[in-house]
């Protein structure tokens, strides 16, 4: 059994896609074991995306993540990291496969609706960034 962190980003919350995104996880038999809505400060967004500090879009990306509330979730299931990445689709919605969350809801390479951890080590860091053990109903 694996866990991953999912984020519904400010663009998708603002556009009213929470329900459809959560329903997509449920329809695909992914268990949601923790969930909350938070509004990140600039510092908190920078801490979360610290691995991207050197990338040219770091400032824009972290500002975007603070634009409004986000919904963070811990997802659980077999191979859930890869399964969630598959449901999300490619980073750039122009390249995302038909039916994926980013094809359906992203509006640009940055405003791409959802985040999902990309490996077990990043999942552990990202889950710990938002949730303590008592907040995960595994
Ligand atoms: P992901 O794992 O598919 O989310 O993609 P990355 O780890 O490569 O990038 C992290 C996040 O940075 C993406 O989900 C986008 O929100 C944003 N991002 C990626 N590439 C670009 C870019 O070229 N420009 C901008 N402004 N944001 C980007």
């Amino acid at each position: 059994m694996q866990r991953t962190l999912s984020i519904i980003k400010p663009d998708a919350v603002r556009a009213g896609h929470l329900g459809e995104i959560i329903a997509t996880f449920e329809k695909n038999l992914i268990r949601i074991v923790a969930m909350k809505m938070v509004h990140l400060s600039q510092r908190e967004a920078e801490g979360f995306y610290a691995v991207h500090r050197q990338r040219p879009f770091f400032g824009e990306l972290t500002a975007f993540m603070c634009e409004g509330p986000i919904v963070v979730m811990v997802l659980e299931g077999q191979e859930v990291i890869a399964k969630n990445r598959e449901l999300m689709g490619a980073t750039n919605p122009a390249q995302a496969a038909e039916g994926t969350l980013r094809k359906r809801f992203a509006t640009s390479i940055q405003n791409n609706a959802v985040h999902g951890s990309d490996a077990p080590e990043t999942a552990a860091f990202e889950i710990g960034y938002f949730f303590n053990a008592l907040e995960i109903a595994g």
Side-chain angles (χ1 to χ4, degrees), residues 1-3 31 76-80:
M1 205 54 84
Q2 211 176 44
R3 284 179 177 171
R31 272 186 1 108
E76 187 176 85
Q78 282 186 3
E79 302 299 328
V80 74

Side-chain angles (χ1 to χ4, degrees), residues 58-107:
F58 181 72
E60 280 173 80
L61 170 62
T62 52
F64 159 62
M65 290 300 287
C66 304
E67 276 178 8
I70 60 174
V71 170
V72 286
M73 285 170 279
V74 179
L75 308 180
E76 187 176 85
Q78 282 186 3
E79 302 299 328
V80 74
I81 294 174
K83 198 167 171 183
N84 181 42
R85 299 281 302 182
E86 201 180 310
L87 291 175
M88 287 163 57
T91 308
N92 186 345
Q95 282 146 22
E98 213 51 57
T100 59
L101 292 171
R102 283 169 167 171
K103 185 71 172 187
R104 292 163 66 195
F105 304 122
T107 53

Side-chain angles (χ1 to χ4, degrees), residues 4 11 19 48 55 62 76 94 100 106 116 128:
T4 192
D11 57 328
F48 179 73
R55 296 176 86 171
T62 52
E76 187 176 85
T100 59

